Amino acid sequence: QQVNTIQDLISQGVDAIAVAPNDAQALTPILKEAQENGILVLSWDTAAEEGATEYFINQLDGDVYGRHLMDLLVESMGKEEGKYAVVTGALTAANLNAWIEAAQKQAEENYPGIELVTDVVPSDEDQQQAFQQAQNLISAYPDLDGFIGVSTPAPIGIAQAVQQAGLQDEIAVVGTSSPNMSNEYLKDGSLDVASLWDPAELGYLAITVAKMALDGEEIGEDLQIEGFDQIEVRGNEIIMGPPLDFTADNVDDYDF
């Protein structure tokens, strides 16, 4: 579907395309076709393959974020040993895979008593699938201590399964979700921490960078954009800043 959409945009002769690839490899040919047609191509949220875009607008440092998710899990579990599972969105999503890999590295290097019970389980960006996968994992591993949910719907589906099983005090759940989606589950304890960023701000940053590039403005290490105080530029990668963590105590302070 993304390939078809981008093909339509090429036909329309747009000036720029910003895309979050669901499957980076599958998009490379069509993104290069867009470039060959003089269109500025950016990826945002998820990186495209090298050479397929001019810029990557990244919400945060993926390694730092993945390690942060593991730290959140251990903190929420209240101990540095135990068993956990990971429910992701799509197994082909490069950003999700990078975060999971970083989380696993953090466990290996700093929490040797933390054990991943099985392979990472996909939920296809679907909350109901995440719910069903979490139910299956809770049933298969009755001594499970925690979950990391990666992709916005995944932590919510997991929290629903924990809530339904009445295991809020026994299974810690952390993951990547928005405050509005997480609110109910944070407050009842079935979700301990949701961590994300402001997606509207990320979209704004992506289009601002596109406009600057089209206008011929320099995009270098000293890049300054009003409203973004912690931008970091690494070559053609522009990192927006650190993550936002939402808990029962602060979730009402955000609305997205």
Side-chain angles (χ1 to χ4, degrees):
Q1 289 178 346
Q2 287 189 321
V3 170
N4 291 339
T5 299
I6 293 166
Q7 185 66 67
D8 289 343
L9 294 171
I10 293 171
S11 299
Q12 293 172 32
V14 299
D15 296 305
I17 295 173
V19 59
N22 284 333
D23 185 335
Q25 186 175 4
L27 287 190
T28 296
I30 193 70
L31 294 180
K32 289 190 172 181
E33 182 181 334
Q35 291 176 315
E36 290 164 3
N37 279 270
I39 297 172
L40 173 69
V41 182
L42 307 88
S43 57
W44 66 295
D45 181 79
T46 308
E49 289 195 317
E50 187 172 353
T53 61
E54 295 301 316
Y55 299 100
F56 170 36
I57 314 304
N58 197 354
Q59 53 270 49
L60 31 70
D61 182 307
D63 185 72
V64 171
Y65 188 49
R67 290 174 181 271
H68 179 63
L69 291 174
M70 179 54 66
D71 290 341
L72 290 177
L73 177 65
V74 170
E75 182 180 342
S76 299
M77 286 168 51
K79 56 184 181 179
E80 293 190 5
E81 66 281 326
K83 299 181 178 180
Y84 78 103
V86 177
V87 178
T88 188
L91 290 174
T92 54
N95 61 335
L96 308 188
N97 291 338
W99 301 342
I100 293 166
E101 182 179 348
Q104 292 170 337
K105 284 182 181 177
Q106 182 73 350
E108 291 167 8
E109 294 170 9
N110 296 288
Y111 309 114
I114 297 291
E115 177 190 349
L116 182 64
V117 295
T118 187
D119 292 340
V120 174
V121 177
S123 61
D124 297 326
E125 299 289 344
D126 183 86
Q127 184 174 320
Q128 181 62 27
Q129 280 199 43
F131 168 73
Q132 292 169 347
Q133 296 282 31
Q135 278 191 320
N136 293 340
L137 289 163
I138 291 169
S139 176
Y141 303 96
D143 55 350
L144 199 62
D145 297 292
F147 280 97
I148 298 178
V150 187
S151 91
T152 317
I156 307 306
I158 297 166
Q160 287 178 314
V162 169
Q163 181 188 66
Q164 185 168 302
L167 295 173
Q168 291 96 321
D169 295 330
E170 297 179 37
I171 298 179
V173 182
V174 303
T176 59
S177 198
S178 70
N180 289 353
M181 290 178 69
S182 305
N183 194 305
E184 170 190 346
Y185 305 99
L186 288 169
K187 289 180 177 177
D188 82 355
S190 54
L191 177 62
D192 292 274
V193 186
S195 183
L196 201 67
W197 54 89
D198 187 330
E201 291 292 302
L202 184 64
Y204 183 92
L205 179 59
I207 300 309
T208 300
V209 170
K211 178 67 162 57
M212 292 176 69
L214 290 172
D215 288 345
E217 296 183 38
E218 183 178 352
I219 298 172
E221 292 183 2
D222 59 348
L223 176 66
Q224 293 186 352
I225 296 175
E226 186 177 353
F228 298 90
D229 298 329
Q230 300 187 56
I231 290 177
E232 182 180 353
V233 179
R234 300 178 184 171
N236 70 343
E237 179 183 6
I238 297 157
I239 301 172
M240 183 168 71
L244 296 171
D245 291 336
F246 312 110
T247 65
D249 294 331
N250 73 356
V251 66
D252 288 335
D253 296 338
Y254 300 92
D255 184 20
F256 61 85

